[in-house]
Every structure is written in C-alpha cells, then in structure tokens.
Amino acid sequence: MKLKARYIDVDTGDVSVLMHDFDCAELGLREKDRVKVSHEGVTTVAIVTTSDTIIQKGEIGLLGATLKTIGSEDGELVDITAASKPESVEFIKKKMNGMELTTEEINTLIADISSRALSNIELSAYVTSLYIRGMNLRETVDLTKAMVAGGEVMTFSNGPIYDHHSIGGCPGNKITLLVVPIMAAAGCKMPKTSSRAISSAAGTSDIVETFANVALTPTELKTITEKVGGVLAWGGSLNLAPADDLIIKAEYPLGIDPHAQLLASVMAKKKAVGANFLVIDIPMGEGTKVLTMDEAKTYARDFIQLGEQLDIKVECAITYGGQPLGRAIGPALESIEAIRIMEGAKTPNSVIEKTLSICGMLFEMGGEYQGVEKARQILESGKALKKFQEIVAAQGGKPDITSADIKVGQHSVDVIANQSGYVGQILNKALVRVARTAGSPKDKGAGLVLNKKTGNKVDKGETIFTIYAEHDWKLQEALKMAVRLEPVKIQGMVLARVPAFSRVSL
Amino acid sequence: MKLKARYIDVDTGDVSVLMHDFDCAELGLREKDRVKVSHEGVTTVAIVTTSDTIIQKGEIGLLGATLKTIGSEDGELVDITAASKPESVEFIKKKMNGMELTTEEINTLIADISSRALSNIELSAYVTSLYIRGMNLRETVDLTKAMVAGGEVMTFSNGPIYDHHSIGGCPGNKITLLVVPIMAAAGCKMPKTSSRAISSAAGTSDIVETFANVALTPTELKTITEKVGGVLAWGGSLNLAPADDLIIKAEYPLGIDPHAQLLASVMAKKKAVGANFLVIDIPMGEGTKVLTMDEAKTYARDFIQLGEQLDIKVECAITYGGQPLGRAIGPALESIEAIRIMEGAKTPNSVIEKTLSICGMLFEMGGEYQGVEKARQILESGKALKKFQEIVAAQGGKPDITSADIKVGQHSVDVIANQSGYVGQILNKALVRVARTAGSPKDKGAGLVLNKKTGNKVDKGETIFTIYAEHDWKLQEALKMAVRLEPVKIQGMVLARVPAFSRVSL
C-alpha cells in the first residue's frame, strides 16, 4: 500500500507511525502491530498507532526515529506492508512461562532492545517476567555478554584494571571521589565510570560535575587513564552496554530492579571497561535496596560467580546502608565533604573508613598486603589530594582545586529539634525526597547536611540538619517536605513505659 | 511551575504531556513520571514524555486526551506540579510478588485502568503479572464485579435472561446467528452482545453487520429484547465493562490472555446484561486457545464457580475446535451458511448439531425437558427464520431477508489438490491468515469456503477450498499465502510404511 508521508514532530520513544483506521483495516492491522515502511531503498519496521482524527485516509504520520531513518520528504509516497513482530516477543513469552532462554535467544532479545525494535508494552513484559521468573547463572552470563557486545569495549595498553561499584540505595555515598585518587596515586589504573541519579539525591557523576567535565569520549577515558591513572567519568557518554538505558526506561516507572538484570547491567559495564579486579559494595539495611543479610549474601555470591564466568575477579563488601554515609547529601555538599577529607579532615569517620576498606580490598586483590594501611598512608600523606587535582585538571576542571572552590546553594535553613532525646532512626528515602525537593541533583548547590546521626544525643533547639537550595521557593518546599516526612526520628530516653497494672491482663 | 500550553495533535493512548528536559530537571521529573496539569480550576494528571527538540524550555505539549480535558487555549499558561504514581502501581507490584490483592485494591486498579491513568508500561506489567501469578476465585469475583461497576448495567422488565458465549479460537463459529432466533422464537429473552474480530477472520458482530446494524445503544438493546426477544448486538457501543478494551490493548501485542482476566472479562459482560442462564462454549483442540481436556475442564470449573458467586447459572460445553465449524469463514460467507440452515439446508451438520446442543442446554437450564428436540422443532418449522427476520428488521436490516441478499466478493479462486489422499489435518491459524489476507473481516465479502474437511477423501484436481475477495490484489496475496502455508494437509493412503528389515533393529 502506498501512503503519503507526513512528518509528526513528536518522539514518543517507540519507533512508530500513525495510520488511519481505514488503512489499518485494509491491511488487517491493529494498534501496536508492525509495518515495514520503505522509501527509495531505505526500509524500517515501525509500530502502528491508529488514529482517525489527526491522520487522513491515505496518509501516514512518521514520528521521531522513523522520520530520521526513512528520510522521505513531506508529501512523498512511501510503501507500507504488514510486518510481523520481532522474534524477541516469543522469547519474552518463553520467560513468562518460566522457561530458560538460549544464548541465541538472549542475543536476539538484547539486539532488539538496543535497536528500539520493542515497544514499551513488550519491554515492560520483559522486565516484569524477568523480575518474577529470574534467570539462572548461564542465562545471566549470556545476558551480560550480549549487553557488552552491543556497545563500546575499552582496551588499555597495560593492566591490571581496578574498579569498584556500589549497587546503591545508601544516600551520601561519595567514596568514589576518594577511592579513585588513592588507587591511582599507588600506580593502579582505575577508569571509573559512574551514573547520574535516577531516584537518588545525587549520583557520582552529578557530584563530580561540580568540579570537572564528566562527559568524556572513549578516547579521553583511555588517554586520561593511561596518563593519570584514574578517571571519574559519566558512563552515559561512553556507550557502554547501551541496552541498559533502554531497559531502565521500563524498570523505572515500575520501581523494579530485576535481580538478573541488575547483575548483568553492572557487570556488563565493568566488562566493557576491561576490569580485572572489582569490589562490589552492597549497602544493606532499612531504606536501601537490600533489606536482609541473606539477600545481601545472595547478591554477593551471584556477583562473584558471574565474575568468574566473565574473567573478572570480584569481591563484595556488605556495608551498613541504613543511614546516610557521612553527613552531606547533594552534589556540591558531597564534593566538599570528600575533598576536605583529602585535605586532612578527620571526619566523617564513616566515609574515611569505608573508603579505606574498599581501597584495601582492591590493593589486596592486586597482591598487596595490609591494603587498608597502604590506603591510609596515601590519603594522609596528601598524595591522594595531589592525584585528585591531576585527575580534575585532566578532566577540564580547575587545577589545584580545593574544597573552598565548590559553591553551595546561597539559601539555607536549619531544621531544629522541638524535643530532646536520641536519634533513633534516619529514613533514607525521606531524606532523599527532601534533598530532591530542594533541587538536588539538578541544582548542584542544593541538598542537606546532617548535624545529628543515629544514636546521637539531641537537645531541644539544636540543629538536626541544614537544607541548602539555590532557589528560595525550593527551599521552602523542601522545608515543608521535611516537616511532613520527619526524616530524622528523635526518641525520648524512655523507649517504652510499661504501666504496673498491665501485669493484671497477662 | 507555569508553562505555556502548546497543542500537539497526536494521541498515543497514554494521557501524556511533552516537557523540555530542563523543566523536567527543575521539577525533579524523569520520563514517565506524572504531573498535575491545572488551568482555570480544571485539573488532570498526565504522564511526562521528555523532549529537547520539539518542545522549548517553558512550554508544555498537551497530547490527545490531556488536551481535551484541560481545555486551555494554545499559548495560555498552565500550572504544573509533580504528581505521584497512581496507587495501582503498588498493587501491580504486589501481584508481581505473588500476593493476593484485596477487594479495594482491585477496585482501585480497575478504576485507574478505566480512567486511562495507567501508562502502557504499567498496563503491560499488570497483564504480565496476572498471566504469571494468576488470581484466586475471590480475586476473580472482585475483578469481575469491578469491571461491571465501571460500565453500563442493563435491567429488563422481566426475565429470565438467556445468554451464551464462546471463548473463541475455532474459525467459522457462526452459531450465534442461529441460537438467538431459536431461543427468542421460544419466548426466551436473549440480548446477545458479541465482539468484532481481534485476530480471528470474523467476529460475530462482523458477520451480523453484513445484514443489520450492530452498533445499538443500551436503550435499543433493551427495547428490541423486550419487543422481539432476541438481539444480535455489538458489545463495543454499549459501554459494558469498558476496562476490557483497555486491557486488551496490552494483551494483544503480547499475544497473551491471562486466565483470570479472560474469566472476568467474559463474565463481567454477561453480568452487565443481567444474564441468568449462560452456556459457555469452550472449543478445544489444536489451533484453538485450549489444547488439552484438562485445561478445558479447568476453564469449565472456573466459569461455573465464578457464575455461582455472581448469581449466574453457568453450564459449559467443551466442543471440538480443531478444525473450522462448518465450511464458511468470513462475514458474508458465514451469514449465508447460517441463514441457509434456517431456510432449510441440512448441512453443514457440525453447525446444526452444535447450535441445537447449545440451545438444548439453555432450554434445559430454564426448566424444559428435551431441549435439543425443542430447538430442532423450532429450527425445522421455519419459526427460527421468521424470528431471525424480525430481529434483522428491528436492527434496521432488510425485512424478509434471505441468504440470497448477502453479497460475497466478486473475485474468487479455487485451491486445487495436486495429489490424491485424505485430509489429515486443517490448520486453523493458517486458514485464518488466508482469510484475513483476502480482506476479512474488513471486506465483508472476503473469506473462504472449505470443500473438504478432516477425513474427507480428495482426488487430485479437486477443489480443496475456494477463496473469495473484494479486490483482486488481495485475492492474489491470499492465494500466495495459501500456497505457502498449506492450511489443509492431504495425506496419501499410506500413513506410515514400515520396511521389513526395521524389525532387525528392534
């Protein structure tokens, strides 16, 4: 069937076309069926959205990516024939039915996801099925390899390559800013790629962006790693395992992170940068992704086994993530906290000790003894700061940067205790909502700093935490949110009072 | 945040808006998050699609339904605030995790689906979770009731109301055209609603449309039922259990029909027309939805139990659906086959016997004895034809209609046997593809007529089936499809030849 092309200047994510109900019926097509669209030897397959208002009989609306691929002029005739679903839809149904997928099926599935051949409905069915049915080790290995194969793969002139990764969920986890310079100062290569925040207050890349360029090309990543030893790059510009970003588009709205997909997505990015020694940080505790020690151990075992199959030596650190790490949350505030430690600050202890533990594990995986002591010596000697400044300069930031160079939001408000007691609990998710309402991570200077942490004594009138923002209206919204959510719970000394007569009812 | 409204003349199905990346970051929003859109006291919640090309900073693109609801003028300022996900997303996750949903949760879920508050991604997660996890009887009852409550509910001045339904999968199943007049001729009320084809060659409504108007209002359905006794209506115009159509939008692209959803969707529509006595036809066999007797019995048991909870007396007929019922497939061809039977034709036997069996069950459920004999007497006496003509006239068709009034496609081709033998198998799905390629159900005169059925002897050169079409190019495409798919398999007399020496290897 020949239809007249019309450009529709909207990109809804799906590779799609708009067709009139009449023409659809003519070809026996329904909403979400596929058509092959051809024009002067260029062909693409698109998903049909039906319409009887916007598109006239005899017309076809080409949206977003379809438009770019086909390259026909407005008003030209294009050729339309019915096309079948991608084979992957059958593989998704196979997983729905609880069956194991073959290597080839997984390869096809990831290739179809990467080329945006699957609709949102199909992608959602994939992540939902994977969430419910899971994958065995063999499938997960294949999934990881398929994701690696779809993107950039880095090679360095000599190794070994060190790497670390946190599966997330613990606010304030800025240790990458410290780990990379310490490792690089010891002569280890660490081309660290990180992500931006999805639902957290700040991803490592959001933090690094307060003082350096994070959108590096693969060549820049390679050059800086080989020259300086360490890099603090954003994964997004490197095209590593690109299927991941498309899969997240379906995971995020559902708020799910299927176990096998999480494993594969992390490990694919590590394999793509050629990691040899990898420490995975698994924060555990209330308000994180991993609630129990059993679950944490399952993750640890699966990461290690997957690493074996991929020739990556993996060790896991199960860490306490039930309250924020350190005191600062938000891009600029976290930068300052991390740089001050390199400048000699002795607090927050939790940030320093976690940093040294992770570096220690990495050093020891590389064959050193007393890795933690080695890391401590590098940090305390000022070598870490010097290396950090080299990395920042290489990434286009200010040479000789200090913590004083980082600007925080000029609007701030202290949240004050209205009773005395002890901090009984800090709610990670509520704290993140307050920081995000204040503008984090988009407003780099926004966030909050905790003055009190779990177990600390609080007197009435003392500051519990301070909120920072770049805009006053966001500060006011954040304050309202803080009052509503009470992210820091203060308990009186009396944890429970049992009246004497309660014994009567026993 | 105030943004300038811009109309985007596209309806992608989701209630959605386009926003610039910058404004999204400002509100901490990601793709597929929700916003509340307000203008002069009118408020709606829409799903965000981000864009940095089509929409400028400070603008918001209002698509399809959003546009209609808000009613702002192009260029006017609308107020945007971040909104949270519908609660239903949590209930979908609960089902994903294998948990039972409460009555209230199911009510909210169906209300959110009906108001189009869920995105395609969320809807897909719902049907996928339901497919994998299923629902117990209590949940299915609640699901059915929630679906009924969302739409039109019919009441008639007096009962009882008779109804039947086939869960589908058997091509050529035109018995509704016979069952309704037979029941109505006996004084029974049967306000039968049917659907159009989704993936079949012709739905009952596609068939009825060749001689009568099927898009009736609820009032017309009621009036004709009370006056004539029977109706052959299309469910689509009656707003019965409207969530069903929206759920099908996610089921169809995945090719799934979750058990509990199928049960609830069927029974909700029956409850909505006030059915008291209901026969469910469950076609079983290769090429249908139900492959084994065990599966068919599960459906039967579940329909009966669900009926008990809904105060509908249900009986089930498990029928053979492994080859088409009768010989005709396609709207006009099926009409002719059915009307000829009422005019006195003694074939096809399969159509006559199935019709009489279903009518017999309905009569006996209503307290009659020898229901099949009663039905046969009504059919053979000509009373069925007379009642059929009354129904057709009431639905705006030609009074005194006969089979000669129905036009078939003027293009036809015979598919000839190139060898002699017996018909070993008929592939339902392949036959449906041929009929659809010929233009069915959109081209009412398109379809095919089988000259040979399973077990029939075929001589080389004999016609196996004849394809009809309204357009010659479609006829040619259908013929090509028939040659490629070979929907009718002819076997030689020798089913298997065992060579003498095969015994040696035993």
Side-chain angles (χ1 to χ4, degrees), chain A residues 30-293:
Chain A
R30 278 174 65 88
E31 177 90 15
K32 302 294 174 204
D33 277 338
R34 260 94 175 170
V35 287
K36 203 198 269 184
V37 186
S38 313
H39 176 70
E40 293 179 358
V42 185
T43 289
T44 190
V45 172
I47 297 162
V48 173
T49 296
T50 60
S51 167
D52 57 1
T53 51
I54 302 137
I55 285 290
Q56 304 303 310
K57 219 172 114 173
E59 278 187 346
I60 185 163
L62 305 179
L63 281 80
T66 321
L67 183 152
K68 285 170 209 145
T69 314
I70 283 297
S72 61
E73 296 290 316
D74 215 34
E76 279 191 301
L77 288 180
V78 294
D79 201 55
I80 308 298
T81 51
S84 50
K85 287 178 203 180
E87 254 190 308
S88 302
V89 178
E90 281 312 307
F91 309 151
I92 294 170
K93 278 174 73 174
K94 210 174 148 184
K95 183 49 75 185
M96 241 184 249
N97 288 323
M99 291 160 80
E100 184 176 339
L101 301 183
T102 68
T103 306
E104 206 181 312
E105 287 165 352
I106 290 171
N107 289 343
T108 305
L109 187 60
I110 292 302
D112 280 346
I113 291 173
S114 302
S115 68
R116 294 175 52 162
L118 298 188
S119 70
N120 281 338
I121 288 176
E122 291 152 356
L123 210 51
S124 171
Y126 165 67
V127 299
T128 304
S129 302
L130 196 58
Y131 178 85
I132 300 175
R133 297 296 195 181
M135 274 187 172
N136 64 24
L137 180 61
R138 200 226 87 238
E139 291 174 290
T140 313
V141 172
D142 287 338
L143 180 63
T144 311
K145 288 180 177 169
M147 291 182 73
V148 173
E152 193 78 35
V153 179
M154 310 291 302
T155 49
F156 296 93
S157 54
N158 52 46
I161 299 296
Y162 291 79
D163 211 342
H164 90 114
H165 181 84
S166 171
I167 68 165
C170 174
N173 191 14
K174 70 280 290 174
I175 66 163
T176 295
L177 275 66
L178 299 155
V179 171
V180 172
I182 290 172
M183 297 305 296
C188 299
K189 286 200 170 56
M190 193 157 183
K192 177 77 179 91
T193 67
S194 306
S195 56
R196 295 186 192 277
I198 293 180
S199 52
S200 71
T204 296
S205 291
D206 298 312
I207 303 173
V208 174
E209 217 174 18
T210 59
F211 53 77
N213 172 29
V214 295
L216 307 179
T217 64
T219 310
E220 287 170 332
L221 181 81
K222 187 171 151 73
T223 311
I224 300 173
T225 303
E226 291 185 346
K227 220 177 88 186
V228 188
V231 178
L232 293 163
W234 173 46
S237 60
L238 293 164
N239 195 36
L240 309 172
D244 188 43
D245 281 352
L246 295 157
I247 293 167
I248 288 173
K249 282 190 184 213
E251 292 174 342
Y252 170 71
L254 300 172
I256 60 172
D257 216 343
H259 187 75
Q261 189 60 56
L262 185 151
L263 292 167
S265 291
V266 168
M267 294 302 279
K269 289 179 181 186
K270 299 308 169 190
K271 188 67 191 168
V273 295
N276 302 109
F277 300 118
L278 170 63
V279 171
I280 303 269
D281 166 27
I282 303 170
M284 190 202 86
E286 217 165 320
T288 71
K289 291 183 188 176
V290 178
L291 299 181
T292 66
M293 185 51 97

Side-chain angles (χ1 to χ4, degrees), chain A residues 8-10 12 22 25-26 28 33 54 85 93 97 121 124-125 128-129 131 252-255 436 442 474, chain B residues 8-10 12 22 25-26 28 33 54 85 93 97 121 124-125 128-129 131-132 252-255 436 442 474:
Chain A
I8 307 282
D9 203 9
V10 175
T12 57
F22 179 89
E26 198 67 37
D33 277 338
I54 302 137
K85 287 178 203 180
K93 278 174 73 174
N97 288 323
I121 288 176
S124 171
T128 304
S129 302
Y131 178 85
Y252 170 71
L254 300 172
R436 286 179 69 95
K442 193 245 163 191
K474 290 195 186 179
Chain B
I8 306 281
D9 203 8
V10 174
T12 56
F22 179 89
E26 198 67 37
D33 277 339
I54 301 137
K85 285 178 205 181
K93 279 174 72 174
N97 287 323
I121 288 177
S124 170
T128 304
S129 302
Y131 178 86
I132 300 175
Y252 170 72
L254 300 171
R436 287 179 68 96
K442 193 241 160 194
K474 290 194 185 180

